[in-house]
């Protein structure tokens, strides 16, 4: 079982741990409800060091990533990042990446926690022998924090010594937190202002302590997942898999429709031009107290199969169980009654996102 650079810090905070994608991470620090309210009303800090990270160097590295993924990475400006999707030949999702471009042309990419080795192997499969492109797994070399909430701007502006409120999504800069060199990037994750703070792994506890000392509440995975699902944010391993294409997952922001060819481009373009997106990600409000499991099937009341579950949680906002799932667009109507076949039959009503 892998542990993040902040594991000892979490132990000192008496965190309750859970396992996720081969990592031991904090589930909560005592009160999931209090941690959730810190995110939606004030500011929380989450250890997301489990995100995969790889460094790409060489004059052909950017071009190679560009021809393997959906967005036009060649248009990236220095100190800006882009979301882009690695896709299969059939236009299905391998992984969603965030690629950061520094002034020196060196690239750093963030991947889903469980996908780093798969992503690097996928890239290697399409790398020609003469390509000047080198990709290094640096996941264990860096800690990564997600600072989120309406007070995140003030906390980070004070710590970094520079205003970050007006930053655009995926704008980033190099800064220093308590004399530790860090990369600070605004992200579109969640329904509240959110920023990634990336730092050398050995100094992650020091950076965490500085963020907490400036007012952020430590938040575990349960509160994060609650807000993620309420927001309708798709993530790798749950909503983002080879079972769906980027358009079905709502990743339009990570797709360029006028760039050159990339792996899977013809399929993605054909789905877009024909407007025939078969499934989309929707919400479900559940009756009862049983959470469905990923891949549980969704049916109409007349027993017609129309989709499947990806994630579920007890919503603090709605005070009921909710789920995310892919449902056939031709069968979807907001508020319709459906049946989920899990260990027992669960009745639910469909919902648009966010809840």
């Amino acid at each position: 079982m892998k542990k993040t650079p902040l594991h000892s810090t979490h132990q000192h905070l008496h965190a309750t741990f859970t396992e996720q994608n081969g990592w031991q991470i904090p589930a909560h620090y005592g009160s999931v409800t209090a941690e959730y309210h810190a995110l939606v009303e004030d500011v929380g800090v989450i250890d997301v060091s489990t995100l995969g990270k790889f460094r790409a160097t060489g004059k052909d590295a950017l071009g190679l990533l560009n021809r393997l993924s959906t967005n036009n990475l060649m248009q990236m400006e220095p100190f800006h990042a882009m979301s882009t999707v690695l896709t299969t030949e059939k236009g299905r999702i391998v992984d969603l990446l965030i690629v950061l471009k520094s002034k020196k042309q060196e690239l750093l990419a963030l991947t889903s926690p469980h996908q780093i080795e798969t992503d690097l192997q996928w890239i290697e499969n399409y790398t020609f022998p003469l390509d000047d492109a080198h990709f290094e797994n640096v996941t264990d070399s860096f800690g990564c924090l997600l600072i989120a909430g309406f007070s995140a701007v003030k906390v980070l502006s004070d710590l970094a010594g520079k205003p970050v409120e007006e930053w655009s999504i995926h704008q980033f800069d190099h800064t220093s937190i308590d004399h530790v060199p860090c990369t600070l990037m605004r992200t579109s994750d969640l329904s509240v202002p959110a920023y990634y703070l990336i730092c050398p792994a050995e100094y992650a506890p020091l950076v965490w302590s500085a963020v907490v000392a400036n007012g952020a509440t430590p938040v575990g995975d349960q509160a994060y997942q609650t807000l993620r699902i309420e927001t309708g944010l798709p993530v790798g391993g749950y909503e983002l898999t080879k079972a769906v294409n980027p358009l079905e997952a709502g990743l339009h922001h990570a797709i360029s429709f006028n760039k050159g060819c990339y792996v899977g481009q013809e399929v993605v373009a054909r789905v877009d031009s024909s407007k025939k997106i078969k499934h989309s990600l929707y919400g479900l409000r559940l009756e009862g107290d049983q959470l469905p499991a990923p891949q549980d099937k969704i049916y109409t009341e007349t027993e017609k199969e129309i989709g499947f579950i990806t994630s579920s949680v007890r919503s603090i906002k709605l005070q009921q169980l909710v789920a995310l799932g892919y449902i056939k667009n031709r069968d979807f109507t907001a508020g319709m009654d459906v049946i989920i076949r899990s260990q027992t039959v669960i009745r639910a009503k469909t919902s648009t996102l966010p809840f």
Side-chain angles (χ1 to χ4, degrees), residues 52-55 116-117 120 135-141:
K53 309 163 197 76
F54 68 81
R55 182 180 288 120
I116 179 65
E117 296 295 344
L120 289 175
F135 300 90
E136 178 188 4
N137 184 350
V138 294
T139 300
D140 295 337
S141 299

Side-chain angles (χ1 to χ4, degrees), residues 268-306:
V268 174
R270 185 165 61 248
V271 171
D272 177 66
S273 61
S274 65
K275 307 301 179 187
K276 292 184 178 179
I277 302 175
K278 293 182 179 180
H279 301 80
S280 290
L281 190 64
Y282 293 109
L284 299 104
R285 299 185 182 212
L286 313 180
E287 297 180 6
D289 57 3
Q290 181 186 335
L291 288 172
Q295 302 305 313
D296 281 349
K297 297 295 191 293
I298 305 168
Y299 298 84
T300 66
E301 288 192 304
T302 57
E303 297 292 333
K304 178 183 178 182
E305 183 179 327
I306 58 171

Side-chain angles (χ1 to χ4, degrees), residues 2 52-54 86 94-95 111-125 135-140:
K2 298 190 69 174
K53 309 163 197 76
F54 68 81
L86 295 174
V94 176
D95 198 14
T111 80
S112 299
H114 63 294
Q115 279 290 113
I116 179 65
E117 296 295 344
T118 299
D119 292 353
L120 289 175
Q121 184 60 57
W122 186 265
I123 293 167
E124 183 180 339
N125 291 344
F135 300 90
E136 178 188 4
N137 184 350
V138 294
T139 300
D140 295 337

